[in-house]
């Protein structure tokens, strides 16, 4: 979901009344970022509080390549990483994930091995349908065992876009909250729905109800679901004890636009890129009785901050034996303070850009290759900016491209290299980069090796369902990452 997809962020159709109300009752964070312009690394960053280059969710198979966890990936979240639910357990929390995991699908990467107590959802996105000979359909899990597969047991109609998955995920959330409230148990719910990821879907009640087509239908259903979750917290009398945060894993995928893609508002490009459209996210914090209503913050925030902020709420300290990139946002959200910190824009193994204050310096630019662009793959449709949205990897490390995001949020007008403003800002950002790189110890890359034999052929529980499939011979290879 993109920065420009919600009414509170200026989307003109105003079809997100519940999220807009959440913003009115809480705080909008207008300068909030993901840690990667792609799904898996950003989720790993959220749950570890660490940049993907530290937690291993990157590839070294090609320079500055985005990589994620498809079915044939061999890697996943390492045991050495400490995830938020593992740490919250120390404070007595019960933890549930609903929806998309995406941190590896082999047994050692299962979310219940990494701090979660319950899971209803899938290790991957709802891709398919596949023919189950070259690759199987994606499984859906209930805790340790699969309960079916997308398209087979959990229907998604690719012609109409109808699927009731969001409703299933909503009910899981409501039931979990009710159960924890009844047992007076503190809880962490990671509600990771994926209806706005192509192929986009919505349930029958929402199909055809949006001015924005099927994508808008999906957004409306997510909005309605968030509204029901917040209302449920209020009806149970625990809203003032429950911190809720809404955001996305990366910018809207403009490659899927206009029918299956969202809006990144005034920002350049979308998912897969380190321009603002790929990494700036909608973000709303809600905690009645604690967060002053109607707040708006320009704090530079990041999904990794949810790790540190959640630990702070639980009375826990972040691990001291590793570099944590997230910061505690409670002084920002509760007291309106501003914390000076940079934002690092990584694409795979390369630091592409850095933001400090209102200035953003690009050390590398790249949208996607001419070869891919020639196939109709375009991450910046209708948004070509000469010398900026480049189709070859352009290095600017000695003379970074600099933008003032206050005057130029769309990154269209680089500042003059000769200006005093440029020299002052670049000198400051260069110091931050040197400091960052001096402490950077990259993790072991998890997204380098692919093998068809590790796909979801026979997940746990397949025997009971009669859905086990024969895996091919193991043949590990370097994964190909064109972007």
């Amino acid at each position: 979901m993109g920065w420009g997809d919600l009414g509170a962020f200026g989307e003109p159709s105003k079809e997100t009344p519940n999220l807009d109300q959440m913003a009115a009752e809480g705080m909008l964070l207008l300068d909030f970022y993901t840690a990667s312009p792609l799904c898996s690394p950003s989720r790993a960053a959220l749950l570890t509080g660490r940049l993907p280059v530290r937690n291993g969710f990157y590839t070294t198979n090609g320079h500055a390549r985005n990589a994620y966890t498809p079915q044939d990936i061999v890697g996943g979240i390492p045991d050495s990483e400490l995830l938020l639910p593992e740490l919250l357990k120390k404070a007595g929390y019960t933890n549930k994930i609903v929806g998309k995991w995406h941190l590896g699908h082999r047994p050692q990467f299962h979310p219940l091995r990494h701090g979660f107590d319950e899971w209803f959802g899938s290790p991957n996105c709802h891709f398919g349908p596949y023919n189950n000979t070259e690759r199987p359909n994606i499984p859906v899990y209930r805790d340790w065992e699969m309960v079916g597969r997308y398209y087979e047991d959990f229907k998604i109609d690719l012609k109409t876009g109808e699927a009731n998955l969001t409703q299933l995920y909503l009910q899981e959330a409501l039931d979990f909250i009710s159960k924890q409230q009844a047992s007076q148990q503190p809880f962490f719910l990671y509600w990771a729905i994926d209806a706005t990821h192509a192929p986009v879907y919505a349930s029958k009640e929402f199909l055809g109800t949006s001015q924005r087509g099927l994508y808008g239908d999906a957004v409306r259903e997510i909005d309605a679901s968030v509204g029901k979750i917040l209302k449920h917290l209020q009806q149970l009398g625990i809203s003032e004890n429950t911190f809720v945060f809404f955001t996305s894993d990366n910018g809207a995928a403009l490659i899927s636009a206009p029918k299956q893609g969202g809006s990144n508002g005034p920002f350049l490009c979308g998912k897969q890129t380190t321009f603002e459209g790929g990494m700036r996210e909608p973000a709303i914090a809600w905690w009645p009785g604690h967060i002053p209503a109607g707040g708006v913050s320009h704090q530079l925030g990041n999904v990794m901050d949810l790790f540190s902020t959640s630990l702070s709420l639980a009375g826990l300290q972040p691990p001291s034996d590793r570099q944590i990139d997230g910061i505690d946002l409670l002084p920002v959200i509760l007291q309106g303070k501003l914390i000076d910190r940079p934002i690092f824009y990584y694409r795979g193994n390369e630091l592409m850009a850095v933001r400090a204050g209102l200035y953003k310096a690009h050390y590398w630019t790249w949208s996607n290759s001419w070869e891919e662009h020639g196939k109709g793959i375009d991450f910046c449709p209708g948004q070509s900016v000469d010398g900026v949205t480049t189709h070859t990897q352009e290095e600017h490390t000695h003379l970074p491209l600099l933008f003032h995001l206050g005057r130029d949020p769309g990154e269209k007008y680089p500042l003059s290299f000769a200006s005093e403003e440029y020299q002052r800002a670049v000198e400051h950002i260069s110091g931050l980069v040197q400091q960052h790189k001096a402490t950077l110890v990259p993790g072991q890359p998890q997204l380098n090796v692919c093998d068809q034999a590790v796909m979801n052929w026979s997940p746990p529980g397949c025997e009971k369902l009669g859905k086990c499939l024969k895996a091919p011979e193991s043949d590990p290879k370097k994964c190909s990452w064109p972007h």
Side-chain angles (χ1 to χ4, degrees):
M1 190 180 285
W3 191 94
D5 276 330
L6 307 183
F9 285 81
E11 202 288 315
S13 65
K14 300 289 184 187
E15 292 179 344
T16 53
N18 296 285
L19 286 162
D20 297 349
Q21 180 69 19
M22 181 184 180
E25 295 172 0
M27 174 178 278
L28 273 179
L29 290 96
L30 298 177
D31 296 72
F32 193 84
Y33 291 86
T34 182
S36 168
L38 205 61
C39 39
S40 300
S42 67
R43 290 160 191 268
L46 183 154
L47 291 174
T48 63
R50 285 154 56 81
L51 284 163
V53 73
R54 293 195 214 271
N55 64 38
F57 264 68
Y58 70 105
T59 182
T60 54
N61 286 0
H63 176 251
R65 294 301 201 280
N66 291 315
Y68 66 108
T69 54
Q71 282 204 72
D72 57 352
I73 201 77
V74 170
I77 194 69
D79 283 340
S80 58
E81 290 297 320
L82 288 171
L83 273 62
L84 177 59
E86 293 178 75
L87 297 167
L88 289 176
K89 272 184 177 295
K90 296 177 182 177
Y93 279 71
T94 299
N95 310 304
K96 178 161 185 163
I97 172 175
V98 176
K100 178 176 167 181
W101 169 238
H102 232 206
L103 300 191
H105 57 266
R106 298 170 70 203
Q108 64 266 42
F109 307 127
H110 193 290
L112 270 61
R113 291 192 189 277
H114 293 271
F116 285 101
D117 300 292
E118 299 180 24
W119 182 25
F120 180 79
S122 177
N124 299 77
C125 209
H126 56 283
F127 291 133
Y130 301 118
N131 64 13
N132 285 344
T133 55
E134 292 183 4
R135 60 181 57 220
N137 278 328
I138 307 289
V140 175
Y141 278 77
R142 163 80 61 196
D143 298 333
W144 288 107
E145 296 187 347
M146 73 176 284
V147 289
R149 296 183 190 270
Y150 286 137
Y151 298 95
E152 297 167 18
D153 314 280
F154 295 87
K155 305 296 183 186
I156 305 169
D157 190 322
L158 289 178
K159 289 184 179 177
T160 65
E162 183 178 350
N164 70 339
L165 291 173
T166 302
Q167 292 303 309
L168 293 177
Y169 296 149
L170 170 61
Q171 197 58 49
E172 288 288 325
L174 298 177
D175 291 348
F176 175 71
I177 292 168
S178 294
K179 186 170 72 173
Q180 303 315 310
Q181 190 272 341
S183 62
Q184 297 293 294
Q185 184 75 21
F187 65 89
F188 167 53
L189 172 64
Y190 176 35
W191 197 63
I193 41 57
D194 66 355
T196 49
H197 188 301
V200 173
Y201 62 79
S203 61
K204 193 168 186 177
E205 178 188 351
F206 292 91
L207 284 179
T209 63
S210 169
Q211 295 182 49
R212 305 179 65 198
L214 180 57
Y215 182 88
D217 297 341
V219 170
R220 290 198 67 240
E221 184 166 17
I222 290 171
D223 174 77
S225 299
V226 171
K228 288 179 179 176
I229 290 171
L230 299 184
K231 187 176 181 182
H232 193 56
L233 293 170
Q234 291 169 323
Q235 289 173 337
L236 291 175
I238 56 173
S239 60
E240 293 196 2
N241 295 336
T242 310
F243 177 78
V244 185
F245 201 95
F246 179 90
T247 190
S248 177
D249 61 350
N250 44 248
L254 301 187
I255 188 175
S256 306
K259 291 190 176 180
Q260 302 254 321
S263 166
N264 295 316
F267 302 120
L268 185 62
C269 300
K271 178 178 177 176
Q272 302 262 15
T273 76
T274 48
F275 301 111
E276 290 297 285
M279 293 186 63
R280 202 188 296 207
E281 305 305 326
I284 304 170
W286 185 88
W287 189 12
H290 300 270
I291 298 174
V296 176
S297 176
H298 287 285
Q299 171 67 43
L300 300 192
N302 196 291
V303 293
M304 297 180 291
D305 301 340
L306 299 178
F307 176 89
S308 301
T309 304
S310 299
L311 292 178
S312 179
L313 284 164
L316 300 170
Q317 292 294 321
S320 58
D321 64 342
R322 63 201 62 208
Q323 182 72 37
I324 300 296
D325 296 294
I327 65 171
D328 179 3
L329 288 177
L330 288 185
V332 174
I333 293 169
L334 300 181
Q335 299 157 29
K337 292 186 177 179
L338 287 176
I339 301 168
D340 186 22
R341 62 89 70 91
I343 294 292
F344 297 108
Y345 302 69
Y346 270 89
R347 185 161 172 160
N349 59 348
E350 185 59 74
L351 179 61
M352 302 288 284
V354 178
R355 178 176 175 183
L358 287 168
Y359 292 100
K360 180 179 178 182
H362 287 268
Y363 291 92
W364 289 84
T365 53
W366 189 37
S367 55
N368 62 308
S369 69
W370 282 115
E371 181 185 3
E372 293 287 305
H373 194 260
K375 298 175 185 174
I377 297 170
D378 190 354
F379 300 145
C380 311
Q383 289 189 304
S384 177
V385 179
D386 190 40
V388 178
T389 56
T390 52
H391 292 294
T392 55
Q393 293 186 23
E394 299 292 335
E395 184 174 3
H396 309 280
T397 53
H398 298 299
L399 206 59
L401 293 181
L402 187 71
F403 295 92
H404 186 287
L405 295 178
R407 300 192 297 261
D408 177 25
E411 297 170 282
K412 293 180 174 64
Y413 308 105
L415 271 66
S416 166
F417 298 134
S419 69
E420 185 182 330
E421 182 184 11
Y422 175 92
Q423 292 169 22
R424 188 174 62 247
V426 166
E427 182 179 0
H428 173 59
I429 294 176
S430 295
L432 296 173
V433 170
Q434 288 174 1
Q435 187 179 356
H436 169 68
K437 290 190 172 180
T439 63
L440 182 66
V441 180
Q444 187 70 29
Q446 296 294 308
L447 308 180
N448 278 354
V449 182
C450 290
D451 185 351
Q452 286 204 320
V454 306
M455 286 186 181
N456 297 291
W457 299 103
S458 298
C462 67
E463 302 91 347
K464 297 178 186 175
L465 302 172
K467 286 192 171 287
C468 299
L469 301 168
K470 189 176 186 303
E473 292 283 320
S474 179
D475 183 20
K477 294 176 179 167
K478 285 178 71 173
C479 306
S480 174
W481 301 113
H483 308 310

